[in-house]
Amino acid sequence: MDLTLPLAVAVAAIGLAVVAVGLAGRARRPPVELADLLGLPADDRRPAPDALAPDDAPAAGALGLADRALERWDRPGSLGRRIERADLALRPAELVVATVAAGLALGGLGELLLGTLWAIPVGLALAPLGARLLLDVRAGRRARRFATQLPDALGLVAGSLAAGHTFLRSIQLMADELDDPLAAEFRRVVAETQLGLPLVASLERMSDRLRLRDVAWMVQAIRIQQTVGGQLSELLATLSEFMRAREEVRREVNVLTAEGRASAWVLGAMPVCLFVAVQVINPGYLDPLLRGWGLVWLGLTVVSMATGIAIILRLVDSVDV
């Protein structure tokens, strides 16, 4: 009796079940903890008593195992910072569990399509790469939306300062008037300031999260103004005009380089789509590629495709404004 199909279905079902349990447990957790606002080190944090309900025993065991793995292998907390930049309401351990579950499900589905057990370890290997790509894409999109909103926000703050409001009050008014993600970031700045953190230090923390050159320039200009004095409203108005001009040039560059990015993704996706289509239409045709030296050549092909896509995207994105 061939157990390949039942095994693949079981692996996919287990992966999807773990994902479902993790998502169900998320409904009872707050997305942002006070320790994150206070900037406490990991040793000083204490989990909430009701973080996991008693009926979440499977999820609790998986999350506990992921927490111990992260404590050993991710001491700098880089995964947590990536999640924070991507604005995901997940703890690092939850993302690890979801990634492993997605890898199992992907491997099971790949085994169903390709008919080889090699698909399961390949799925487990690809899942972390996919999770990292997801975080980077979300963080990049969020940062670009923030950069688009920033010139108007600085103009609003400059006008509020000229009307006689304090800098902190101007930031509060701006956060109430504009949309996320800019409003969310500046609300966090206000909350950290109310908890006792200096305003410039809170702005620097925001700059570290976003990693935007415009935000770094803004924080540096505000720090210099706080040191030497001067008209902050005029400074922010000048920065607003400068950033608005750079944003217009950046959009023109993105339009001119859109064809190159599309070519990279189309050329990269075409062999994968053809491979899956041939395997589904004629399952035995590609069997020589799925055993022996065929796997070696298939791996070299994947590496060459990834290298080509990376080179094209690097050339397209090398234009810096």
Side-chain angles (χ1 to χ4, degrees), residues 39-120:
L40 294 177
D43 295 338
D44 295 336
R45 300 181 182 214
R46 296 294 184 269
D50 56 348
L52 282 173
D55 56 345
D56 287 336
L63 292 175
L65 182 62
D67 277 326
R68 290 191 293 271
L70 288 172
E71 288 177 1
R72 181 174 181 179
W73 301 106
D74 189 32
R75 291 185 181 276
S78 58
L79 180 59
R81 288 193 294 272
R82 284 180 177 272
I83 294 174
E84 188 178 31
R85 287 196 295 270
D87 194 30
L88 284 178
L90 290 174
R91 292 189 297 142
E94 292 170 344
L95 180 61
V96 170
V97 173
T99 301
V100 173
L104 290 174
L106 180 63
L109 294 176
E111 201 281 334
L112 287 177
L113 293 175
L114 303 178
T116 175
L117 291 177
W118 281 101
I120 295 177

Side-chain angles (χ1 to χ4, degrees), residues 153-174 233:
L154 292 181
L156 183 61
V157 172
S160 179
L161 289 172
H165 293 100
T166 64
F167 186 36
L168 182 59
R169 178 57 181 166
S170 300
I171 291 178
Q172 289 177 323
L173 293 175
M174 178 265 297
S233 59

Side-chain angles (χ1 to χ4, degrees), residues 241-314:
E241 296 176 0
F242 174 71
M243 292 177 184
R244 191 173 286 109
R246 288 184 69 244
E247 182 63 24
E248 292 178 0
V249 176
R250 188 183 296 115
R251 290 178 179 178
E252 293 180 2
V253 172
N254 288 337
V255 171
L256 294 175
T257 57
E259 183 179 356
R261 284 191 295 272
S263 299
W265 293 117
V266 169
L267 293 175
M270 188 181 299
V272 178
C273 295
L274 288 176
F275 183 90
V276 174
V278 171
Q279 184 67 15
V280 172
I281 295 172
N282 189 359
Y285 185 77
L286 297 177
D287 284 349
L289 280 177
L290 301 177
R291 60 175 180 267
W293 282 99
L295 292 174
V296 176
W297 293 115
L298 190 61
L300 293 176
T301 302
V302 172
V303 172
S304 65
M305 287 170 49
T307 304
I309 294 174
I311 292 174
I312 295 175
L313 293 178
R314 183 68 178 270

